[in-house]
Amino acid sequence: MRILGIDPGLRVTGFGVLEKHGSRLQYVTSGVIRTGDGTLPARLRIIFESVAELVDTYRPDQAAIEKVFVNVNPQSTLLLGQARGAAITALSVGGLEVFEYTPMQLKQAVVGYGRARKEQVQEMVTRLLALTGTPGKDASDALGVAICHAHSGETYSALVNVAPTLAAKGLRVRRGRLVG
């Protein structure tokens, strides 16, 4: 299975592609999409077109994207959400099912600690994928999202598929856990 991970950002959007063979993960590529200082619509278009090009080039089977966290500055949060929306739209138009993970889920899956620092995520991504160099922070986060999905995607899919049945019984899934 080939997974495309996205770490959305309005100025810099990270991406990472890996393959999962059983329990083994293999690095394919990673990098960033830089949008420059243009107008908001122009920058969103760059994100959309670049993510669409990644889908066409690498033909992933699934995509995972980091969820927006609420920032101190509401304007920054709104802009990040728009960048994320452009990326999700490109993934969806490309025919991919999109899975979403919080920064805490990503850090827990990669480092084993949900409040890990970005440098710790970088180091563990480098180790887990046996990379010869350390990717930048945005590319590392994107690879981390892909790793998170590789480790928990099947469980996540199963929970999403049974959610309507659970809801009918008065149960729901919250933060990956079943609650009443």
Side-chain angles (χ1 to χ4, degrees):
M1 171 175 45
R2 185 170 275 197
I3 303 166
L4 170 58
I6 301 287
D7 175 37
L10 188 56
R11 290 194 181 278
V12 180
T13 292
F15 68 88
V17 181
L18 57 84
E19 288 185 354
K20 180 180 178 186
H21 303 281
S23 62
R24 191 173 64 84
L25 300 177
Q26 180 183 353
Y27 174 83
V28 176
T29 191
S30 64
V32 295
I33 299 163
R34 296 190 189 279
T35 61
D37 292 326
T39 64
L40 177 62
R43 292 160 79 184
L44 295 175
R45 180 179 177 176
I46 290 167
I47 293 168
F48 175 85
E49 290 175 346
S50 298
V51 171
E53 184 178 332
L54 289 169
V55 171
D56 287 342
T57 302
Y58 295 102
R59 303 277 185 218
D61 300 304
Q62 295 182 343
I65 191 165
E66 190 171 336
K67 284 186 182 179
V68 173
F69 63 93
V70 178
N71 200 330
V72 174
N73 181 344
Q75 182 65 24
S76 296
T77 303
L78 180 60
L79 292 171
L80 177 58
Q82 291 174 331
R84 191 171 169 276
I88 289 173
T89 302
L91 296 168
S92 184
V93 167
L96 294 171
E97 186 174 4
V98 181
F99 297 86
E100 303 173 274
Y101 298 94
T102 66
M104 189 173 277
Q105 287 172 310
L106 173 161
K107 292 171 182 178
Q108 181 68 40
V110 175
V111 180
Y113 176 59
R115 299 197 190 281
R117 296 183 327 274
K118 282 194 176 273
E119 295 80 16
Q120 291 172 300
V121 172
Q122 280 181 289
E123 179 64 29
M124 285 306 296
V125 163
T126 302
R127 287 182 184 193
L128 289 170
L129 298 176
L131 302 176
T132 55
T134 304
K137 291 179 182 178
D138 297 297
S140 286
D141 280 356
L143 286 166
V145 172
I147 291 168
C148 179
H149 181 67
H151 291 316
S152 59
E154 293 166 7
T155 303
Y156 187 86
S157 294
L159 287 173
V160 168
N161 291 334
V162 300
T165 305
L166 296 173
K169 295 180 180 183
L171 300 170
R172 59 191 159 83
V173 176
R174 183 172 178 203
R175 294 185 182 158
R177 294 191 172 101
L178 192 59
V179 294

